[in-house]
Amino acid sequence: MEKITSLYKTIPFAALALGFGACKQAQKEEPDQSDKRPNLLVILADDLGYSDLGCYGGEIQTPNLDRLAQNGMRFSRFYNAGRSCPTRSSLLTGLYPHQSGIGRMTFDQHLPGYRGTMTHNGVTIAEVLKGAGYQTGMIGKWHVAETPLRPDQREWLAHQVYHEEFAPKENYPTYRGFDDFYGTIYGVVNYFDPFSLVNGEEPVREVPDDYYSTIALSDSAVSYINRYSKSDKPFFMYLSYHAPHWPLHALEEDIKKYEDTYTVGWEAIRDARYERMKKLGIFNDQSDFLSNRQSTKEWNDNPDREWDARAMAVHAAMIDRMDQEIGRVLKALEEKGELENTIILFMSDNGCSPEICQNYSPGENDRPDMLRDGTPMIYPKNKEVLPGPEVTYASLGPEWANVANMPFRFWKAKMYEGGICTPMIAHWPAGIEMGKGSVVDAPCHVIDIMATSLEIANAEYPEVYNENDIIPYEGKSIVPILKTGTREGHQVLGFEHFNEKALMSDDGWKIIQPGSKAEWELYDLNTDRTEMHNVATQYPERLNKMIAEYESWAERTMVMPKPD
């Protein structure tokens, strides 16, 4: 079921001077000076909650993304793979995570779907579009290459030892179709001094004292746009911010804007977001869709109110700064005359995280235990130090994650909607034919970005690439939705991550198995968008049919055999 609703006129958005221009598709031949194919800019946030943005009901100031939504489209049912690296591999390849080699994390488990890196039986969007005549650039978090641990990992994380490679270079972006790359190979960073920072293929040995990841990535994006716009060729750019993934690191000037906002507590912020979401018409066909809170903990009984209010203020500041920097990227596009003919897709890799990273073991994997100068990194297990500065390492926890993912249940790594359904904004003045500010509920998935790229670039998907047989892509182009609001959708969409399983059918029903020993659950998303009513016992035939479809999907997409 697919419906379109218009943005309520009573919701204030700042005006954005966006024009409309002609967009002509090139024929399937080498591009020349008349090449008018669209540019493609994919912007990915990290652990952003469903209701964090202003245009999805949040109180966080996101005027630039709100303007993209006001002049473009928002998707209410856009899906991912539930966690960072699986989602990123699916986005880049158009394959399900296991088909692309990252069924779990970036460690090799020696099974076909769990190699810990994108395998060469898939191609990236950059590889295909580069072959079709596009310039290709990537900025930000890569996190799709195997990152084996070293004996001196602790010192390496603190920049006290040097190694030439953070992962095998054959798996770096510049070996997977990108002309340019500035960003990190690993998944988690200190925002003020990131580990695994690379320019092209070369490690960045030092950063300035005033370095902040979100700003630096945007500096590179603006630089790429300025350079790419001088060419007659269109460009594909993948801008993958670290924000707002933990650790909670933000600039004090941004935190100050929210220092009093969250002192009212979890319940009040969640309820206010819900009321704004209803006015925005995000789920226009359902008037009562707020799920129950995942925690019985009450704000007034919380002894850590000061710390928790500050933590959410830092989360908000990280998103606010990301929006500010996206504004600079949009300005560069506009100044170079590229905005009208650029498809901008903004999304998140998964729902907000409930993790309490201050309880993790410091100095392991990608979590440092000290700064570059040897200053100990504080992991405030007892919330004894407020988050925000570089010397702290902390995260939101489940109560605020539940607020960020409102109205859904659960969060990152779960196959409930709170884990796998996140915001998606599409903006393309020359190509979107729906009404400005439309909300569309056609189900889409990150696997669709490859198919969309192929259509807008008029590019061919290879059967063989660099002597490797290539798996056919799984996605479907969203271009028809941009033009009409509907398309012929996926018969099923499947999900699996650490034995959390789900499958959705094209008639709006969904099954979930939250763990290998749990019972399957059944939900009718047409009437129960937030999965509050498990109807498995009422519809056993439908349940069994969908379980069989899941098993077939899992076997086909290399979920089987699965690791223990």
Side-chain angles (χ1 to χ4, degrees):
M1 180 177 63
E2 300 175 350
K3 296 183 178 67
I4 308 298
T5 60
S6 293
L7 188 68
Y8 274 50
K9 301 297 185 184
T10 57
I11 303 301
F13 285 88
L16 179 65
L18 298 178
F20 288 81
C23 171
K24 298 180 181 178
Q25 291 255 336
Q27 300 299 314
K28 292 181 179 179
E29 58 186 23
E30 287 298 316
D32 57 24
Q33 292 186 351
S34 63
D35 192 341
K36 301 299 182 185
R37 290 178 296 173
N39 306 311
L40 175 61
L41 170 58
V42 175
I43 306 176
L44 188 67
D46 198 340
D47 288 9
L48 180 77
Y50 191 87
S51 64
D52 275 335
L53 304 181
C55 54
Y56 277 81
E59 69 293 326
I60 301 171
Q61 297 175 36
T62 55
N64 294 294
L65 289 168
D66 292 351
R67 286 195 292 266
L68 289 182
Q70 171 72 346
N71 290 278
M73 298 172 64
R74 282 163 298 155
F75 289 65
S76 66
R77 294 189 63 189
F78 192 84
Y79 291 96
N80 53 66
R83 206 179 204 127
S84 176
C85 38
T87 292
R88 290 160 198 274
S89 64
S90 281
L91 188 161
L92 285 164
T93 64
L95 302 173
Y96 282 108
H98 309 79
Q99 294 172 304
S100 68
I102 307 185
R104 286 197 171 175
M105 304 297 290
T106 54
F107 297 101
D108 191 353
Q109 296 182 268
H110 306 289
L111 289 169
Y114 304 85
R115 299 311 305 265
T117 191
M118 287 193 306
T119 65
H120 292 277
N121 293 116
V123 289
T124 68
I125 296 171
E127 287 170 326
V128 175
L129 266 57
K130 183 175 182 178
Y134 272 64
Q135 304 169 89
T136 57
M138 195 235 157
I139 305 105
K141 175 175 170 176
W142 184 233
H143 202 205
V144 287
E146 184 189 1
T147 50
L149 302 180
R150 294 179 180 267
D152 57 355
Q153 189 78 7
R154 177 176 175 271
E155 292 79 13
W156 197 26
L157 291 170
H159 310 281
Q160 295 179 349
V161 296
Y162 176 80
H163 296 288
E164 182 66 23
E165 294 183 344
F166 296 101
K169 283 191 176 179
E170 66 183 26
N171 298 321
Y172 275 31
T174 49
Y175 282 79
R176 297 308 307 263
F178 288 100
D179 298 321
D180 301 292
F181 172 59
Y182 175 82
T184 59
I185 302 299
Y186 273 60
V188 179
V189 302
N190 171 349
Y191 283 74
F192 299 98
D193 190 5
F195 173 68
S196 75
L197 186 62
V198 170
N199 187 12
E201 299 168 23
E202 295 300 315
V204 176
R205 301 289 292 270
E206 295 180 352
V207 297
D209 291 340
D210 61 350
Y211 188 95
Y212 186 69
S213 163
T214 307
I215 296 174
L217 299 182
S218 304
D219 287 341
S220 286
V222 170
S223 174
Y224 287 7
I225 289 168
N226 290 340
R227 175 156 49 89
Y228 293 162
S229 64
K230 296 177 182 178
S231 171
D232 295 319
K233 295 181 178 181
F235 64 81
F236 163 56
M237 191 161 71
Y238 172 37
L239 174 53
S240 175
Y241 287 104
H242 300 109
H245 192 292
W246 50 265
L248 292 167
H249 281 169
L251 302 177
E252 193 60 37
E253 64 193 78
D254 295 328
I255 300 172
K256 189 172 180 60
K257 295 166 66 173
Y258 300 94
E259 60 185 357
D260 298 321
T261 303
Y262 299 104
T263 57
V264 295
W266 307 305
E267 300 94 338
I269 295 296
R270 192 167 182 261
D271 290 346
R273 287 190 177 194
Y274 176 56
E275 293 304 317
R276 283 192 294 269
M277 184 173 282
K278 285 197 294 186
K279 291 179 179 178
L280 287 165
I282 302 294
F283 305 121
N284 200 47
D285 57 339
Q286 297 183 31
S287 59
D288 184 12
F289 48 81
L290 183 63
S291 64
N292 297 324
R293 290 182 63 224
Q294 298 297 136
S295 172
T296 59
K297 197 173 181 180
E298 299 298 327
W299 183 259
N300 290 335
D301 299 327
N302 175 21
D304 300 311
R305 290 191 295 272
E306 180 186 6
W307 196 96
D308 287 329
R310 166 78 175 198
M312 188 61 184
V314 179
H315 175 79
M318 295 166 79
I319 295 169
D320 185 308
R321 174 54 62 175
M322 178 175 65
D323 182 84
Q324 292 180 55
E325 298 305 313
I326 289 172
R328 287 207 296 130
V329 174
L330 299 179
K331 182 179 179 182
L333 286 170
E334 191 167 23
E335 289 177 345
K336 296 300 179 180
E338 300 285 357
L339 186 59
E340 289 189 3
N341 198 37
T342 298
I343 301 177
I344 301 173
L345 302 176
F346 173 89
M347 62 198 75
S348 178
D349 61 350
N350 46 250
C352 187
S353 171
E355 295 161 280
I356 305 176
C357 74
Q358 53 267 35
N359 289 340
Y360 293 164
S361 297
E364 294 185 357
N365 191 16
D366 47 12
R367 301 184 295 272
D369 65 351
M370 69 180 87
L371 303 185
R372 185 186 292 264
D373 63 3
T375 302
M377 184 80 78
I378 300 171
Y379 284 64
K381 294 183 178 181
N382 298 314
K383 299 186 176 180
E384 66 275 16
V385 176
L386 293 177
E390 179 182 7
V391 76
T392 63
Y393 206 94
S395 57
L396 284 177
E399 286 80 20
W400 280 126
N402 193 198
V403 173
N405 296 327
M406 196 287 303
F408 300 129
R409 300 167 61 192
F410 291 109
W411 33 61
K412 172 183 178 178
K414 289 284 191 180
M415 299 299 104
Y416 293 93
E417 299 289 279
I420 60 174
C421 188
T422 42
M424 208 283 267
I425 300 170
H427 182 274
W428 184 19
I432 291 179
E433 298 176 7
M434 293 296 301
K436 289 184 179 181
S438 297
V439 178
V440 61
D441 72 354
C444 301
H445 191 285
V446 293
I447 56 175
D448 296 335
I449 306 305
M450 170 65 85
T452 305
S453 304
L454 294 171
E455 180 168 352
I456 67 106
N458 211 13
E460 296 285 352
Y461 185 84
E463 295 181 1
V464 177
Y465 188 83
N466 287 345
E467 300 183 354
N468 295 301
D469 292 332
I470 301 302
I471 301 171
Y473 64 89
E474 294 277 346
K476 293 176 177 287
S477 173
I478 69 168
V479 171
I481 298 174
L482 302 181
K483 296 184 178 298
T484 68
T486 63
R487 68 170 182 185
E488 182 180 349
H490 297 274
Q491 185 174 355
V492 297
L493 286 172
F495 306 84
E496 191 276 339
H497 187 60
F498 281 91
N499 290 319
E500 292 266 345
K501 306 170 185 174
L503 182 128
M504 290 187 298
S505 61
D506 58 0
D507 60 358
W509 288 75
K510 178 181 176 183
I511 58 170
I512 304 171
Q513 187 185 37
S516 58
K517 296 182 180 179
E519 296 292 326
W520 282 96
E521 302 171 5
L522 175 66
Y523 298 96
D524 180 2
L525 299 183
N526 300 299
T527 58
D528 182 19
R529 189 65 184 81
T530 48
E531 303 165 317
M532 291 188 283
H533 307 289
N534 176 14
V535 294
T537 57
Q538 289 97 307
Y539 300 96
E541 291 184 4
R542 177 181 284 274
L543 176 67
N544 290 331
K545 177 178 179 292
M546 292 186 70
I547 293 173
E549 289 177 326
Y550 172 84
E551 296 296 343
S552 176
W553 169 84
E555 184 172 4
R556 182 180 65 79
T557 60
M558 302 168 68
V559 178
M560 304 292 185
K562 60 181 181 298
D564 295 334

